[in-house]
Amino acid sequence: MRNAGLDIEELQTFVEVADAGGISPAAIRLGVSKSIVSRRLARLEAELGVQLLARSTRGAGLTEAGVMFRDHAARACAEIEVAKETMLPEGELRGRFRVAAPLSFGPVHFAPVLAEMARQHPRLHIQTCYSDRFVDLIAEGFDCAIRVGNLQDSNLLARRVGPIHGNLFASPDYLKAHGTPETPEELLSHEALMQGTESWHFMDGNRTITIRPQGRFKADNGVALVAAAVAGLGIARVPDGLTHEHVASGALVPVMPHHPPPPAGIYVVRPPSLHPARKVRVLTELLVDCFGQAQPIASATPSR
């Protein structure tokens, strides 16, 4: 007969289901089968004597009791994780560590840091998602994200780990055909290669100039924007690190260097909590060691 009491694994599974919005996405995040997730939830509900999930053919949603219990369960899991970390041998990390990183240059520049972290901590299971889309850390269950550029306002906590620089770039053929802009305002008459409908910001001494450029070619990946610039489709605003080879070969040239974008950086961002996981702190320090004291990333860089 099963002893009464709450199992930490079942609590963690319930929090994942609540945050992921269903059993199937939670199973993917946990790396287990849907049947295992369902069994853990059933045991937890039996122990509590309440129904936490309302199951239907469309999926599973939280009941009123589930909504009330979710925050308590999440706090308990977080406190237990902190307690477990304090019991580990000095410096040792273990468990699952989910990290979101940009696709444009993450596999080249951040992947070696994460690999070194895994080498130093053989009991740590690292899962990295490389994507240039804006990942919702809380909803998608990530411990932290590595982001580059200028951070948007959010309820996430951020730590700057290094500098990053970008500029405008275009092909000589495009500039020969359309002219070379000298001021941010002149960009409004040019084809901008963009991620979406973002504004572009430029420095004029201590003053920041903001424009809303237009263009017919859009991509959510910095490498794709560089390829479009090389093809002569317009002017791209991308990090220097993505363009060095093309500038060296003459395929791209800097545009409007006297009006650079505002200073940007590399950041580790995490959901707010009283005690940041030691895994996040260790990754942050490894990134600071790698990028914080060096030149601004000059051999790769994206925008997000």
Side-chain angles (χ1 to χ4, degrees):
M1 182 176 178
R2 182 177 172 84
N3 293 328
L6 299 181
D7 185 283
I8 181 62
E9 194 171 59
E10 294 167 3
L11 288 176
Q12 290 171 331
T13 299
F14 167 67
V15 173
E16 290 286 358
V17 171
D19 292 348
I23 291 175
S24 295
I28 294 173
R29 284 159 57 156
L30 290 166
V32 299
S33 67
K34 290 189 292 184
S35 61
I36 290 177
V37 173
S38 295
R39 286 198 296 271
R40 291 176 183 173
L41 289 174
R43 289 197 297 264
L44 180 60
E45 288 177 326
E47 289 162 352
L48 292 171
V50 297
Q51 185 178 355
L52 299 173
L53 292 177
R55 298 164 178 83
S56 69
T57 55
R58 295 183 178 180
L62 293 182
T63 63
E64 184 178 353
V67 172
M68 294 175 60
F69 186 65
R70 186 267 167 204
D71 288 344
H72 294 288
R75 284 196 296 269
C77 291
E79 290 297 330
I80 290 174
E81 284 299 314
V82 172
K84 286 165 62 177
E85 285 185 349
T86 63
M87 301 297 291
L88 290 174
E90 181 65 27
E92 183 179 342
L93 299 177
R94 68 179 179 186
R96 187 181 56 132
F97 188 39
R98 299 191 75 225
V99 182
L103 175 63
S104 294
F105 69 104
V108 174
H109 292 274
F110 299 145
V113 177
L114 288 158
E116 175 60 19
M117 186 175 178
R119 187 194 67 79
Q120 294 180 12
H121 303 280
R123 300 177 67 184
L124 186 64
H125 297 259
I126 299 178
Q127 178 187 358
T128 309
C129 173
Y130 292 98
S131 173
D132 282 338
R133 70 180 179 86
F134 197 82
V135 174
D136 187 327
L137 300 188
I138 298 174
E140 299 182 47
F142 285 95
D143 295 287
C144 68
I146 305 170
R147 290 179 178 164
V148 301
N150 300 106
L151 294 185
Q152 300 176 356
D153 292 336
S154 74
N155 64 340
L156 301 176
L157 302 179
R159 164 80 187 277
R160 190 175 187 273
V161 298
I164 197 168
H165 289 313
N167 213 325
L168 296 178
F169 296 92
S171 71
D173 287 344
Y174 174 87
L175 297 176
K176 183 178 180 180
H178 300 278
T180 301
E182 299 293 337
T183 67
E185 291 77 13
E186 291 180 19
L187 287 171
L188 296 175
S189 62
H190 283 266
E191 283 287 332
L193 307 173
M194 307 164 63
Q195 290 193 350
T197 59
E198 67 269 18
S199 299
W200 284 3
H201 306 283
F202 302 94
M203 301 304 298
D204 182 12
N206 294 325
R207 184 170 65 100
T208 300
I209 300 174
T210 300
I211 66 166
R212 296 294 298 270
Q214 301 294 321
R216 65 183 180 89
F217 187 93
K218 301 180 188 296
D220 64 354
N221 178 271
V223 176
L225 295 177
V226 170
V230 172
L233 297 182
I235 299 175
R237 189 191 64 165
V238 289
D240 294 344
L242 294 180
T243 60
H244 283 296
E245 292 182 5
H246 300 295
V247 171
S249 69
L252 290 178
V253 295
V255 176
M256 226 168 62
H258 298 301
H259 293 282
I266 308 167
Y267 298 87
V268 173
V269 298
R270 64 175 178 86
S273 64
L274 185 60
H275 303 289
R278 184 145 59 99
K279 290 171 280 194
V280 176
R281 297 199 302 269
V282 169
L283 174 61
T284 299
E285 293 309 318
L286 285 172
L287 290 168
V288 169
D289 289 343
C290 186
F291 301 112
Q293 305 303 321
Q295 294 290 328
I297 287 188
S299 41
T301 339
S303 56
R304 172 134 300 195

